[in-house]
Amino acid sequence: MSTDSTTTEAPLTIADLQDRATCTIEEAGRVLGIGRWAAYRAATRGEIPTLALGRRKVVPVPALLRLLGATEEE
């Protein structure tokens, strides 16, 4: 069993997500460099933007990129 502080998955980069409309909360956490449970807690608090699609929550990539200051819009 793994804990929140240890992750075996490689970090994602912003470039990995740029051609996608949405990503999972876990993937957003990997981009942010935080663990899975920290990402879910941040999403629950509204610190990571999410959309509800039925019972599933996803992170809109454009909103995540804006949060990170990685958009070309000025």
Side-chain angles (χ1 to χ4, degrees), residues 23-25 39-40 42-44 46-53 56-60 63:
C23 67
T24 66
I25 293 172
Y40 277 99
T44 299
E47 297 168 349
I48 294 176
T50 60
L51 291 173
L53 299 176
R56 184 172 182 221
K57 287 194 176 192
V58 295
V59 178

Side-chain angles (χ1 to χ4, degrees), residues 4 6-10 14 21 25-26 33 43-44 46-47 52 67 71:
D4 190 44
T6 60
T7 181
T8 58
E9 303 223 23
I14 292 169
I25 293 172
E26 291 177 29
T44 299
E47 297 168 349
L67 176 72
T71 61

